[in-house]
Amino acid sequence: MLKLIGDGVLAIFNRADAKEAADAALQARRRLAENLSLLNERRCGLGLATTSIYLGLHFGEVFYGNIGSDERLDFTVIGPAVNEVCRIAASCRTLGRSLLVSENFRALLADRDAEYLADVGTFQLKGVRNPRRLYAPKIELSSCQCSSEKGPAVT
């Protein structure tokens, strides 16, 4: 399920088992990064602008459905977890990371995936009562870097 929020997308991975949902989200992130890398390589070769992404992954309870009135009905997602994941994603820019995951999300991962993430500290996220421990990849996935002769990089 997807929901557009500002210039981003909120994706929900709803599975009967929370560990399966976390694995599906991590696999989707890997696929997105691979596809973006291929797109940027192609655009680099053509001298066109490239782009980057940043992503927050979190586990929590949300409510979703059609909310509104007869005049305006909108499919939306609400709940504290929505605010948290948006704040986690926004922290990517501050911390210079393309991916940040919450402690809640990391706890659901298989050992091989959890070991791939390093503790980057505990942060007070805007609008979130308690500080949250965040994790990022030990090794960032590579991205195409164009020289200024071929075209600008857009973030």
Side-chain angles (χ1 to χ4, degrees):
M1 164 185 338
L2 295 175
K3 170 74 179 167
L4 296 175
I5 48 173
D7 62 353
V9 174
L10 175 67
I12 298 173
F13 295 84
N14 189 10
R15 302 285 197 287
D17 180 87
K19 291 180 186 236
E20 287 179 18
D23 186 55
L26 201 57
Q27 292 302 324
R29 188 272 177 174
R30 286 181 182 134
R31 190 166 176 201
L32 173 62
E34 290 166 2
N35 289 339
L36 183 64
S37 180
L38 292 173
L39 174 67
N40 280 340
E41 284 178 28
R42 188 169 55 246
R43 293 184 60 82
C44 254
L46 296 171
L48 299 173
T50 60
T51 191
S52 62
I53 59 165
Y54 59 93
L55 186 72
L57 295 174
H58 178 57
F59 175 79
E61 187 174 291
V62 298
F63 300 95
Y64 57 89
N66 290 317
I67 297 176
S69 65
D70 290 338
E71 290 80 36
R72 180 162 186 235
L73 194 61
D74 185 35
F75 180 82
T76 195
V77 181
I78 59 174
V82 175
N83 181 49
E84 276 191 62
V85 76
C86 289
R87 301 301 184 200
I88 291 167
S91 297
C92 288
R93 287 185 178 175
T94 307
L95 298 174
R97 303 295 186 134
S98 64
L99 172 66
L100 288 172
V101 305
S102 69
E103 189 168 24
N104 295 14
F105 184 88
R106 185 180 180 273
L108 296 170
L109 298 176
D111 289 342
R112 71 180 187 287
D113 290 324
E115 290 174 6
Y116 148 81
L117 298 167
D119 184 339
V120 293
T122 302
F123 300 89
Q124 185 64 56
L125 304 173
K126 183 179 174 185
V128 177
R129 181 174 297 167
N130 297 317
R132 297 293 186 235
R133 182 165 301 281
L134 301 178
Y135 296 83
K138 291 178 181 176
I139 300 171
E140 286 282 334
L141 296 178
S142 64
S143 61
C144 176
Q145 297 295 321
C146 293
S147 70
S148 59
E149 296 171 9
K150 291 186 177 182
V154 177
T155 57

